């Protein structure tokens, strides 16, 4: 038996999210389907995390167990020839049997791209708003989220995580070309749609739709219901999965 690790990227535009679903096109479902054809056995991928429908990944990490002895270079070649164009296998290697892509990941990073330059050819890859975002002001709105908090108000109601305690290590807001900003968030792990709720809430505060201390109130009162604004998925990318201090991101 071998434990095989995959590193890959994907355009999430035409997927119903990452996680395998019956009769729906998903990233996990597509990769497992072709792995099973090549390896001639059932495959169950363990992955660093799950992305929502329409969310992209510049790096995703999964592992699976197999009894196949196929050379890894051949496996990568066959997969990339077989998989649809919106999935690309970057690297395949054999790892220790104890390695687990989900539980061994120490940090995960996401990037959210906001644009105030309407461009139909980029509409799947950034979120358009009709007003400029000033970097310092937006970063100040997000700054209270850094640290260990109960993020119960920053997850979807169907989130299956047993605890909503998470740590965000850093949040940065940087220019991203002309009339665009990128928000980079690094944390231990994230709840379902947590990043999108963070961005949506911050945009509401920025444009005066919520009070300036709304995020602080959401953090201070995790059992109280607050209005959640979920930002669109198309501007969001999984950009980094870190194992034992080794940055496996882009």
């Amino acid at each position: 038996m071998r434990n095989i690790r995959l590193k890959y990227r994907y355009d999430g535009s035409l997927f119903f999210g990452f996680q395998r679903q019956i009769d729906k096109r998903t990233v996990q479902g597509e990769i497992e389907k072709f792995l099973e054809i090549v390896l001639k056995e059932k495959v169950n991928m363990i992955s660093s995390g799950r992305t929502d429908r329409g969310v992209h990944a510049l790096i995703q990490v999964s592992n699976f167990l197999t009894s196949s002895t196929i050379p890894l270079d051949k496996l990568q070649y066959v997969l990339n020839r077989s998989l649809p164009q919106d999935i690309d296998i970057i690297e395949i290697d054999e790892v220790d049997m104890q390695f687990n892509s989900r539980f061994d990941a120490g940090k995960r990073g996401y990037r959210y791209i906001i644009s105030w330059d309407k461009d139909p050819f980029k509409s799947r890859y950034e979120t358009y708003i009709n007003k400029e975002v000033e970097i310092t002001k937006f970063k100040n709105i997000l700054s209270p989220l850094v640290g260990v908090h109960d993020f119960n108000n920053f997850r979807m109601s169907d989130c299956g995580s047993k605890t909503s305690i998470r740590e965000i290590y850093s949040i940065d807001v940087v220019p991203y070309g002309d009339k665009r900003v990128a928000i980079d968030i690094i944390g231990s792990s994230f709840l379902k749609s947590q990043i999108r709720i963070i961005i949506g809430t911050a945009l509401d505060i920025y444009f005066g739709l919520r009070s300036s201390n709304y995020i602080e109130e959401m953090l201070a009162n995790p059992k109280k219901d607050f209005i959640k604004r979920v930002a669109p998925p198309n501007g969001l990318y999984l950009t980094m999965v870190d194992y034992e201090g080794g940055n496996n991101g882009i």
Side-chain angles (χ1 to χ4, degrees):
M1 190 69 68
R2 296 192 294 170
N3 191 7
I4 306 301
R5 176 172 57 186
L6 304 177
K7 296 179 184 178
Y8 53 101
R9 57 184 178 172
Y10 54 84
D11 177 341
S13 304
L14 301 180
F15 290 104
F16 284 82
F18 177 84
Q19 189 176 11
R20 181 194 316 117
Q21 298 182 53
I22 297 174
D23 297 329
K24 289 189 176 180
R25 186 176 187 264
T26 68
V27 178
Q28 181 182 11
E30 288 294 300
I31 297 175
E32 287 183 345
K33 177 175 68 177
F34 287 103
L35 279 172
E36 290 171 9
I37 292 171
V38 176
L39 302 175
K40 298 180 173 59
E41 62 184 18
K42 189 73 175 175
V43 171
N44 179 35
M45 294 199 315
I46 299 167
S47 302
S48 68
R50 304 165 181 171
T51 52
D52 295 339
R53 179 178 181 177
V55 175
H56 317 291
L58 301 184
I59 183 71
Q60 174 66 284
V61 182
S62 301
N63 70 287
F64 62 91
L65 300 179
T66 179
S67 59
S68 172
T69 59
I70 185 173
L72 298 183
D73 56 348
K74 181 179 179 181
L75 179 59
Q76 182 173 354
Y77 174 79
V78 173
L79 281 178
N80 275 330
R81 286 290 298 267
S82 305
L83 284 165
Q85 193 171 359
D86 42 9
I87 302 175
D88 175 45
I89 307 296
I90 301 169
E91 182 182 334
I92 299 180
D93 61 352
E94 185 171 351
V95 291
D96 185 274
M97 289 296 292
Q98 304 306 313
F99 175 80
N100 184 296
S101 295
R102 178 184 176 190
F103 294 115
D104 290 345
K107 296 179 182 178
R108 296 162 177 85
Y110 283 87
R111 166 167 283 191
Y112 198 95
I113 299 173
I114 295 173
S115 168
W116 50 97
D117 175 28
K118 190 173 184 180
D119 185 340
F121 300 106
K122 295 182 178 179
S123 61
R124 291 180 175 179
Y125 308 109
E126 57 188 28
T127 293
Y128 170 75
I129 58 176
N130 60 8
K131 294 182 180 179
E132 181 178 356
V133 171
E134 197 277 315
I135 287 175
T136 301
K137 180 180 176 181
F138 201 67
K139 187 174 181 178
N140 288 339
I141 291 171
L142 293 166
S143 62
L145 294 159
V146 176
V148 178
H149 301 286
D150 186 338
F151 286 97
N152 187 54
N153 284 313
F154 295 86
R155 64 171 170 173
M156 302 298 283
S157 59
D158 61 343
C159 176
S161 296
K162 293 181 180 179
T163 177
S164 50
I165 304 296
R166 294 291 188 274
E167 181 173 6
I168 290 181
Y169 301 118
S170 65
I171 300 178
D172 202 8
V173 184
V174 296
Y176 192 76
D178 187 41
K179 297 184 179 180
R180 288 166 178 82
V181 295
I183 299 95
D184 291 316
I185 303 179
I186 298 175
S188 54
S189 61
F190 294 93
L191 302 161
K192 185 175 183 180
S193 299
Q194 181 180 345
I195 302 292
R196 293 170 59 199
I197 293 172
I198 285 172
I199 299 299
T201 303
L203 284 170
D204 273 0
I205 295 170
Y206 186 90
F207 291 115
L209 302 177
R210 303 279 174 247
S211 63
S212 61
N213 64 339
Y214 197 71
I215 282 177
E216 289 97 321
E217 291 179 359
M218 293 175 77
L219 293 172
N221 301 280
K223 303 304 180 185
K224 178 183 175 182
D225 286 334
F226 285 82
I227 296 172
K228 295 182 178 68
R229 173 81 68 180
V230 185
N234 46 296
L236 183 59
Y237 299 75
L238 174 61
T239 57
M240 185 266 280
V241 185
D242 184 273
Y243 293 95
E244 298 180 357
N247 190 335
N248 292 292
I250 301 298

